[in-house]
Amino acid sequence: MKDSFKNKFLISTAILAGITLIGATNTAHAADNPQATNATGQSTANQLKAKLASDQQAVNDYQQKVSQDQQNVASDEAALRNAQTAQEHGQSILSAAQQRQQAAQSAYDQQLADVQAKQATVD
């Protein structure tokens, strides 16, 4: 168990030393050739600027889609209100027609009763 831990520790230490050596080498090269380091930094900066511009365009596109979706929702809500108004109007017409039908049925029932009463007196 101790040997396994010791081996892992030694491997980790070796890797860390290698990374440190690479970093030191890169730093030494940068000190030897500041123009190349500057060019690399400028290239990285340009790549980051391009990525930022791309991300900003994606955000703008998304905001435009959200705005369009909000307009669609407002339009759908207006259409729904119009449909509800039409339904209420149709319900009002149906109610009035039912009232006329009931009045006509009452008048018919009254006429039928009058005719039946007259027939009873004739018989």
Side-chain angles (χ1 to χ4, degrees):
M1 210 49 162
K2 281 186 176 182
D3 288 338
S4 173
F5 177 75
K6 187 176 180 181
N7 287 339
K8 288 181 182 177
F9 178 76
L10 289 175
I11 291 171
S12 296
T13 303
I15 291 172
L16 183 58
I19 291 171
T20 304
L21 179 61
I22 291 170
T25 301
N26 287 344
T27 303
H29 286 306
D32 290 342
N33 193 352
Q35 291 175 336
T37 302
N38 186 40
T40 301
Q42 188 61 43
S43 174
T44 302
N46 289 340
Q47 289 173 355
L48 291 172
K49 286 178 186 177
K51 175 71 171 131
L52 178 61
S54 174
D55 290 350
Q56 185 61 50
Q57 185 60 48
V59 168
N60 291 345
D61 292 346
Y62 182 75
Q63 287 174 333
Q64 186 176 7
K65 180 165 179 10
V66 167
S67 178
Q68 182 62 47
D69 289 348
Q70 288 172 336
Q71 290 174 2
N72 290 345
V73 167
S75 177
D76 291 348
E77 288 173 345
L80 177 60
R81 283 191 301 275
N82 290 342
Q84 288 172 331
T85 300
Q87 181 184 16
E88 290 167 2
H89 184 67
Q91 188 65 39
S92 175
I93 292 170
L94 177 61
S95 179
Q98 288 172 334
Q99 289 174 353
R100 286 191 300 274
Q101 181 186 17
Q102 289 172 350
Q105 184 67 44
S106 294
Y108 173 78
D109 291 344
Q110 184 60 48
Q111 286 176 350
L112 181 60
D114 290 347
V115 168
Q116 288 173 344
K118 287 181 184 177
Q119 280 182 341
T121 58
V122 171
D123 291 340

